[in-house]
Amino acid sequence: MLRYHYRNLIPDKITQDLRTKILGRKIIYLDTVDSTNSEGRRRFTPEGEGIVILSEQQTAGRGRLGREWTSPRNKGIWMSILLKPDQPPDRIPRLTMVGAAAVCLALEIVEPSLGTKVQIKWPNDLLLGEKKVGGILTEMQVSGGKAQSVVLGIGLNVSLEEDDFPSELLMKATSLYLGTGRAYDREIIIAEILNSFEPLYQEFSGGSIAKSLTICRQRSAVIGRNVILVNKGIVEEAEVLDLGPQGELVVKLAKGDIASVVSGEISLRML
Ligand code: ATP
Ligand code: BTN
């Protein structure tokens, strides 16, 4: 049933649906690359804001903290957006939440019922039915106290089937197809991600992430849940209360103290 969808992307079909001014106006479309984020870093120029890199497959796709990201040919959206925000480096990680919010909005536009099913596991995971369907990886290069380049990577499993995942991932990963039984054209999803991202990025560039946070709160998989916080081997149980104004996680620790957690090296395990 899905065979038709194991086809190459048609970049012109993305362009047709774009309503952006900057994002995706130039698309670099590749067949194979190590990682679209690495390619983004290699190709970055200060004038290149908004360039989008897409690849049919990645041979060394990566997640946070250097983890591997499975990226088989034709079956997912493996893309990176090149950005040059005029914001201090310590604010750049917030873009991960802006990206996650944009993907959720895009999926809702493509199919309203799908949009409401996808949730955000702070700060960077996209879940469908408690399994991971995608993720965001924001990387930057800093010099002279400024972010010289930012590459925002988005991975979304569109039509992967069970045998596309390594066996150890089967329990925790899914795709739009596995989660809904439906096939989706990648082009329209990519266009809507860019359409949704641009205004949220403009807000970020003006110093606020209020709209993105509203979306992230509505779609949060963790607010109200008990989780385990894992930080460099230190493990702590907490109840997630909210997202703070800077995108930090507000938690109640086991002893009752309220704490704010910034993303950094923290991993969350849901209880
Ligand atoms: P964290 O809570 O720290 O985000 P995580 O296990 O989700 O933990 P990430 O670094 O966000 O870790 O994502 C990378 C992990 O995602 C990999 O270690 C692997 O377990 C899983 N993974 C790899 N490829 C895929 C994929 N295509 N779809 C879903 N999950 C994947
Ligand atoms: C995560 O959940 O840890 C983030 C996964 C991000 C994967 C995407 S796929 C496109 C881009 N290139 C990469 O190597 N990673 C990101």
Side-chain angles (χ1 to χ4, degrees), residues 34-38 58 60-65 67 69 71 77-80 124-126 132 134-137 139 152-156:
D34 51 354
S35 149
T36 56
N37 268 35
S38 303
Q58 299 183 114
R62 54 174 191 274
R64 274 194 340 143
L65 313 175
R67 295 174 181 134
W69 186 259
S71 325
I77 293 171
W78 324 127
M79 85 169 172
S80 297
N124 70 306
D125 291 346
L126 297 162
K132 186 153 162 170
I136 315 291
L137 178 67
E139 296 180 309
L152 185 127
I154 298 175
L156 187 66

Short mmCIF file of all heavy atoms in Angstrom, two decimals, residues 34-38 58 60-65 67 69 71 77-80 124-126 132 134-137 139 152-156, ligand 2:
data_model
loop_
_atom_site.label_atom_id
_atom_site.label_comp_id
_atom_site.label_asym_id
_atom_site.label_seq_id
_atom_site.Cartn_x
_atom_site.Cartn_y
_atom_site.Cartn_z
N ASP A 34 25.81 12.51 5.27
CA ASP A 34 26.04 11.97 6.63
C ASP A 34 24.93 12.46 7.56
O ASP A 34 24.18 11.67 8.14
CB ASP A 34 27.45 12.32 7.13
CG ASP A 34 27.79 13.81 7.01
OD1 ASP A 34 27.00 14.57 6.44
OD2 ASP A 34 28.87 14.20 7.50
N SER A 35 24.80 13.78 7.65
CA SER A 35 23.75 14.38 8.49
C SER A 35 23.42 15.73 7.88
O SER A 35 24.34 16.49 7.54
CB SER A 35 24.31 14.55 9.92
OG SER A 35 23.73 15.66 10.55
N THR A 36 22.15 16.03 7.74
CA THR A 36 21.80 17.35 7.17
C THR A 36 22.28 18.46 8.09
O THR A 36 22.60 19.56 7.63
CB THR A 36 20.28 17.48 6.91
OG1 THR A 36 19.58 17.24 8.14
CG2 THR A 36 19.79 16.52 5.85
N ASN A 37 22.37 18.20 9.40
CA ASN A 37 22.90 19.23 10.29
C ASN A 37 24.39 19.47 10.02
O ASN A 37 24.85 20.62 10.02
CB ASN A 37 22.71 18.83 11.76
CG ASN A 37 21.40 19.36 12.33
OD1 ASN A 37 20.41 19.44 11.63
ND2 ASN A 37 21.40 19.71 13.60
N SER A 38 25.14 18.40 9.77
CA SER A 38 26.58 18.58 9.47
C SER A 38 26.73 19.32 8.14
O SER A 38 27.57 20.20 8.00
CB SER A 38 27.28 17.22 9.36
OG SER A 38 27.11 16.50 10.54
N GLN A 58 20.15 9.63 5.56
CA GLN A 58 21.34 10.08 6.27
C GLN A 58 22.11 8.84 6.71
O GLN A 58 21.52 7.86 7.19
CB GLN A 58 20.98 10.88 7.51
CG GLN A 58 20.19 12.14 7.23
CD GLN A 58 19.92 12.94 8.51
OE1 GLN A 58 20.41 14.04 8.67
NE2 GLN A 58 19.15 12.39 9.42
N ALA A 60 24.73 9.13 8.87
CA ALA A 60 25.17 9.36 10.25
C ALA A 60 24.27 10.42 10.89
O ALA A 60 24.75 11.39 11.49
CB ALA A 60 26.63 9.79 10.28
N GLY A 61 22.95 10.21 10.74
CA GLY A 61 22.00 11.13 11.38
C GLY A 61 22.21 11.04 12.88
O GLY A 61 22.52 9.98 13.41
N ARG A 62 22.04 12.17 13.55
CA ARG A 62 22.27 12.11 14.99
C ARG A 62 21.18 12.84 15.77
O ARG A 62 20.49 13.73 15.26
CB ARG A 62 23.64 12.66 15.36
CG ARG A 62 23.93 14.03 14.84
CD ARG A 62 25.25 14.56 15.38
NE ARG A 62 25.32 15.96 15.05
CZ ARG A 62 25.78 16.44 13.90
NH1 ARG A 62 26.24 15.61 12.99
NH2 ARG A 62 25.76 17.73 13.66
N GLY A 63 21.03 12.40 17.02
CA GLY A 63 20.10 13.04 17.94
C GLY A 63 20.89 13.83 18.96
O GLY A 63 22.07 14.12 18.76
N ARG A 64 20.23 14.16 20.02
CA ARG A 64 20.91 14.90 21.10
C ARG A 64 22.02 14.06 21.69
O ARG A 64 21.97 12.83 21.65
CB ARG A 64 19.90 15.17 22.22
CG ARG A 64 19.10 16.40 21.98
CD ARG A 64 18.34 16.88 23.19
NE ARG A 64 18.10 15.94 24.25
CZ ARG A 64 18.12 16.29 25.55
NH1 ARG A 64 18.42 17.52 25.89
NH2 ARG A 64 17.83 15.41 26.48
N LEU A 65 23.00 14.74 22.25
CA LEU A 65 24.07 14.09 23.00
C LEU A 65 24.77 13.03 22.15
O LEU A 65 25.20 11.99 22.64
CB LEU A 65 23.54 13.46 24.30
CG LEU A 65 22.61 14.37 25.15
CD1 LEU A 65 22.04 13.62 26.34
CD2 LEU A 65 23.35 15.61 25.62
N ARG A 67 23.67 10.90 20.02
CA ARG A 67 23.01 9.60 19.79
C ARG A 67 22.70 9.42 18.31
O ARG A 67 22.54 10.38 17.57
CB ARG A 67 21.74 9.51 20.61
CG ARG A 67 22.02 9.52 22.09
CD ARG A 67 20.71 9.58 22.84
NE ARG A 67 20.91 9.62 24.26
CZ ARG A 67 20.28 10.47 25.08
NH1 ARG A 67 19.42 11.33 24.60
NH2 ARG A 67 20.51 10.44 26.36
N TRP A 69 20.61 8.61 14.89
CA TRP A 69 19.24 8.83 14.41
C TRP A 69 19.04 8.02 13.14
O TRP A 69 19.69 8.28 12.12
CB TRP A 69 18.98 10.32 14.14
CG TRP A 69 17.55 10.58 13.79
CD1 TRP A 69 17.05 10.77 12.54
CD2 TRP A 69 16.45 10.63 14.70
NE1 TRP A 69 15.69 10.95 12.61
CE2 TRP A 69 15.29 10.86 13.93
CE3 TRP A 69 16.32 10.48 16.08
CZ2 TRP A 69 14.03 10.96 14.50
CZ3 TRP A 69 15.06 10.58 16.65
CH2 TRP A 69 13.93 10.83 15.87
N SER A 71 17.69 6.97 9.77
CA SER A 71 17.13 7.85 8.72
C SER A 71 17.10 7.14 7.36
O SER A 71 17.86 7.50 6.45
CB SER A 71 18.00 9.11 8.57
OG SER A 71 18.54 9.55 9.77
N ILE A 77 11.31 12.68 6.97
CA ILE A 77 11.76 14.05 6.68
C ILE A 77 13.03 14.24 7.49
O ILE A 77 13.01 14.20 8.73
CB ILE A 77 10.66 15.06 7.07
CG1 ILE A 77 9.45 14.88 6.16
CG2 ILE A 77 11.20 16.49 6.99
CD1 ILE A 77 8.22 15.67 6.57
N TRP A 78 14.12 14.38 6.78
CA TRP A 78 15.43 14.61 7.42
C TRP A 78 15.87 15.98 6.90
O TRP A 78 16.32 16.09 5.77
CB TRP A 78 16.44 13.51 7.06
CG TRP A 78 15.86 12.11 6.94
CD1 TRP A 78 15.99 11.27 5.88
CD2 TRP A 78 15.08 11.37 7.91
NE1 TRP A 78 15.34 10.07 6.12
CE2 TRP A 78 14.77 10.12 7.36
CE3 TRP A 78 14.60 11.65 9.21
CZ2 TRP A 78 14.02 9.14 8.03
CZ3 TRP A 78 13.84 10.70 9.88
CH2 TRP A 78 13.57 9.47 9.29
N MET A 79 15.66 16.99 7.70
CA MET A 79 15.92 18.33 7.17
C MET A 79 16.56 19.25 8.19
O MET A 79 16.41 19.06 9.40
CB MET A 79 14.64 18.95 6.62
CG MET A 79 13.74 19.65 7.57
SD MET A 79 12.49 20.54 6.57
CE MET A 79 11.40 21.09 7.84
N SER A 80 17.27 20.23 7.68
CA SER A 80 17.90 21.23 8.54
C SER A 80 17.63 22.61 7.97
O SER A 80 17.65 22.80 6.75
CB SER A 80 19.41 21.02 8.61
OG SER A 80 19.69 19.76 9.21
N ASN A 124 12.75 18.07 23.22
CA ASN A 124 13.01 17.92 21.78
C ASN A 124 12.33 16.73 21.11
O ASN A 124 12.50 16.54 19.91
CB ASN A 124 14.53 17.74 21.56
CG ASN A 124 15.01 16.40 22.08
OD1 ASN A 124 14.77 16.07 23.23
ND2 ASN A 124 15.62 15.62 21.22
N ASP A 125 11.60 15.93 21.87
CA ASP A 125 11.03 14.72 21.25
C ASP A 125 9.58 14.94 20.84
O ASP A 125 8.81 15.56 21.58
CB ASP A 125 11.05 13.54 22.24
CG ASP A 125 12.44 13.04 22.54
OD1 ASP A 125 13.37 13.42 21.80
OD2 ASP A 125 12.60 12.28 23.50
N LEU A 126 9.22 14.37 19.71
CA LEU A 126 7.82 14.38 19.27
C LEU A 126 7.29 12.96 19.41
O LEU A 126 7.91 12.01 18.92
CB LEU A 126 7.73 14.84 17.81
CG LEU A 126 8.23 16.26 17.60
CD1 LEU A 126 8.54 16.52 16.13
CD2 LEU A 126 7.21 17.27 18.10
N LYS A 132 8.24 7.57 20.07
CA LYS A 132 8.90 8.71 19.44
C LYS A 132 8.71 8.68 17.92
O LYS A 132 9.05 7.70 17.26
CB LYS A 132 10.39 8.64 19.79
CG LYS A 132 11.18 9.79 19.35
CD LYS A 132 12.38 9.95 20.25
CE LYS A 132 13.43 10.80 19.60
NZ LYS A 132 14.48 11.15 20.53
N GLY A 134 9.48 11.68 16.11
CA GLY A 134 10.39 12.68 15.54
C GLY A 134 11.15 13.39 16.63
O GLY A 134 10.96 13.12 17.83
N GLY A 135 12.02 14.27 16.19
CA GLY A 135 12.80 15.02 17.17
C GLY A 135 13.46 16.22 16.53
O GLY A 135 13.54 16.33 15.30
N ILE A 136 13.89 17.13 17.37
CA ILE A 136 14.53 18.37 16.93
C ILE A 136 15.94 18.40 17.50
O ILE A 136 16.15 18.04 18.67
CB ILE A 136 13.78 19.62 17.47
CG1 ILE A 136 12.26 19.50 17.33
CG2 ILE A 136 14.31 20.91 16.84
CD1 ILE A 136 11.72 19.55 15.94
N LEU A 137 16.88 18.84 16.70
CA LEU A 137 18.26 18.97 17.16
C LEU A 137 18.78 20.34 16.75
O LEU A 137 18.99 20.60 15.56
CB LEU A 137 19.13 17.87 16.52
CG LEU A 137 20.61 17.92 16.87
CD1 LEU A 137 20.84 17.62 18.36
CD2 LEU A 137 21.40 16.93 16.02
N GLU A 139 21.73 23.05 16.80
CA GLU A 139 23.17 23.14 17.03
C GLU A 139 23.64 24.53 16.62
O GLU A 139 23.11 25.11 15.66
CB GLU A 139 23.90 22.07 16.21
CG GLU A 139 23.53 20.66 16.64
CD GLU A 139 24.24 19.57 15.85
OE1 GLU A 139 24.22 19.62 14.60
OE2 GLU A 139 24.80 18.66 16.48
N LEU A 152 19.06 24.16 12.67
CA LEU A 152 17.94 23.52 13.36
C LEU A 152 17.53 22.29 12.56
O LEU A 152 17.06 22.40 11.44
CB LEU A 152 16.77 24.49 13.51
CG LEU A 152 15.63 23.92 14.33
CD1 LEU A 152 15.26 24.87 15.45
CD2 LEU A 152 14.41 23.64 13.50
N GLY A 153 17.77 21.13 13.12
CA GLY A 153 17.47 19.87 12.43
C GLY A 153 16.14 19.30 12.88
O GLY A 153 15.82 19.32 14.08
N ILE A 154 15.38 18.83 11.91
CA ILE A 154 14.09 18.20 12.21
C ILE A 154 14.07 16.81 11.60
O ILE A 154 14.36 16.64 10.40
CB ILE A 154 12.92 19.04 11.63
CG1 ILE A 154 12.90 20.43 12.28
CG2 ILE A 154 11.58 18.32 11.82
CD1 ILE A 154 11.88 21.38 11.70
N GLY A 155 13.78 15.84 12.41
CA GLY A 155 13.60 14.47 11.91
C GLY A 155 12.17 14.05 12.18
O GLY A 155 11.67 14.22 13.29
N LEU A 156 11.49 13.55 11.14
CA LEU A 156 10.11 13.09 11.34
C LEU A 156 9.94 11.77 10.59
O LEU A 156 10.16 11.70 9.37
CB LEU A 156 9.13 14.15 10.81
CG LEU A 156 7.65 13.90 11.08
CD1 LEU A 156 7.33 13.95 12.58
CD2 LEU A 156 6.78 14.92 10.35
C1 BTN B 2 16.49 13.90 18.80
O1 BTN B 2 15.36 13.52 19.05
O2 BTN B 2 17.46 13.66 19.52
C2 BTN B 2 16.70 14.78 17.61
C3 BTN B 2 16.69 14.04 16.32
C4 BTN B 2 16.98 14.96 15.17
C5 BTN B 2 17.12 14.24 13.88
C6 BTN B 2 17.27 15.19 12.73
S1 BTN B 2 17.15 14.42 11.14
C7 BTN B 2 17.72 15.87 10.37
C8 BTN B 2 18.81 16.44 11.24
N1 BTN B 2 20.09 15.84 10.91
C9 BTN B 2 20.56 15.11 11.93
O3 BTN B 2 21.63 14.47 11.92
N2 BTN B 2 19.73 15.16 12.96
C10 BTN B 2 18.57 15.99 12.68
#
